[in-house]
Amino acid sequence: MNIKHKRDVIIACDFPDGEKTLDFLALFGSERPFVKIGMELFYAEGPDIVKKIKSRGHKVFLDLKLHDIPNTVFSAMRSLRTLDIDMCNVHAAGGQAMMKAAIEGLTRPDGSRPLLIAVTQLTSTSPEMLRHELLISHPIEEVVMSYAQNARAAGLDGVVCSPLEAERVHAVCGDDFITVTPGIRFSGGDMSDQVRVTTPAIARELGSDYIVVGRPITSSPDPIGAYRRCLADFIG
Ligand code: C5P
């Protein structure tokens, strides 16, 4: 499936409820940023919040990171395919059979479907954690590249990875394979719980297709200014 995409900034709307989210999005006036809805908001509000945000004209990345047996992921995606979302995801750690089942479940009767990407390693995972907690002895970069290749082989459109890995993912999986990169911070900003991070400008240099930015925008005293700064630094 050949889906065209362009570089964009996706705002991670990690708010506890729909009211706070819609109030936040109203700050943007007629601008309609690409929005990421994650577990916190989806579990609080259900599919209704997706419909409300879509009806206001935003693109939506539904970030539920599915990871289960192939049959369950297939059925979950069957439910999600009725929502008019633009992007959603699974964990590549679920394996190729699970990722293929996800595509099958997500594909609508007319053959269309949202972009489907796979989480490689969370950007909060450090090399030490990978080795000592998860008992994965390969270097993190190798693990990410191998997971990305699995996702590509299963027919997915791209991966969620650190911006620091975007260049290599493109080298290994091709330029048309999308890299969606959280772990974005302004220089000198608070790292919070993210480990493998970089700035919007460096993410652009490294070839990220989409940056996902949460707290640097949502917790900013000037969210519009922070969003515009991301757009200017990432897209130009
Ligand atoms: O606030 P911050 O900019 O750290 O938000 C990053 C967002 O990206 C969060 O919603 C987080 O769940 C998500 N994410 C991530 N790392 C991944 C996948 C998703 O940080 N590998």
Side-chain angles (χ1 to χ4, degrees):
M1 185 153 170
N2 192 11
I3 304 171
K4 285 198 171 48
H5 61 273
K6 64 176 180 67
R7 249 178 319 133
D8 209 347
V9 174
I10 303 177
I11 304 181
C13 285
D14 294 322
F15 293 109
D17 59 54
E19 198 184 330
K20 284 200 176 65
T21 310
L22 296 175
D23 286 352
F24 170 78
L25 291 175
L27 297 174
F28 289 82
S30 59
E31 241 171 312
R32 293 287 181 268
F34 201 138
V35 165
K36 181 171 89 68
I37 299 176
M39 296 182 207
E40 180 182 9
L41 188 56
F42 192 79
Y43 292 154
E45 299 285 348
D48 213 42
I49 188 65
V50 176
K51 291 177 193 158
K52 280 188 181 141
I53 293 175
K54 281 298 297 185
S55 73
R56 283 165 167 73
H58 297 269
K59 285 189 172 174
V60 169
F61 167 21
L62 189 56
D63 178 21
L64 298 182
K65 299 185 180 73
L66 273 66
H67 186 177
D68 209 315
I69 59 171
N71 185 58
T72 301
V73 170
F74 169 87
S75 308
M77 287 299 188
R78 267 285 131 99
S79 300
L80 294 182
R81 80 173 181 177
T82 60
L83 296 173
D84 183 25
I85 52 173
D86 300 276
M87 188 186 284
C88 63
N89 60 1
V90 293
H91 266 285
Q96 287 197 32
M98 188 207 74
M99 290 191 270
K100 285 181 185 161
I103 293 186
E104 216 187 313
L106 199 58
T107 305
R108 303 179 187 110
D110 67 358
S112 69
R113 64 165 171 81
L115 291 169
L116 181 63
I117 57 177
V119 176
T120 51
Q121 284 293 330
L122 297 172
T123 41
S124 54
T125 304
S126 66
E128 293 70 36
M129 180 184 161
L130 195 74
R131 196 176 179 81
H132 300 297
E133 274 186 51
L134 305 181
L135 303 185
I136 297 174
S137 56
H138 291 264
I140 201 159
E141 273 256 305
E142 253 179 55
V143 177
V144 170
M145 295 315 138
S146 173
Y147 284 18
Q149 283 172 303
N150 290 343
R152 174 152 200 123
L156 270 66
D157 304 298
V159 285
V160 186
C161 62
S162 158
L164 304 171
E165 293 142 1
E167 201 168 20
R168 224 176 128 196
V169 167
H170 281 135
V172 170
C173 296
D175 280 338
D176 60 335
F177 194 65
I178 301 168
T179 51
V180 178
T181 63
I184 302 292
R185 292 293 178 267
F186 293 123
S187 50
D190 173 22
M191 296 262 286
S192 309
D193 52 351
Q194 297 282 17
V195 177
R196 305 191 322 278
V197 298
T198 193
T199 63
I202 293 174
R204 173 197 178 139
E205 275 170 36
L206 295 173
S208 285
D209 296 295
Y210 295 89
I211 51 172
V212 174
V213 189
R215 287 160 290 180
I217 295 175
T218 55
S219 302
S220 165
D222 174 17
I224 313 289
Y227 174 64
R228 297 234 169 92
R229 186 173 164 198
C230 287
L231 284 178
D233 291 356
F234 184 60
I235 299 173

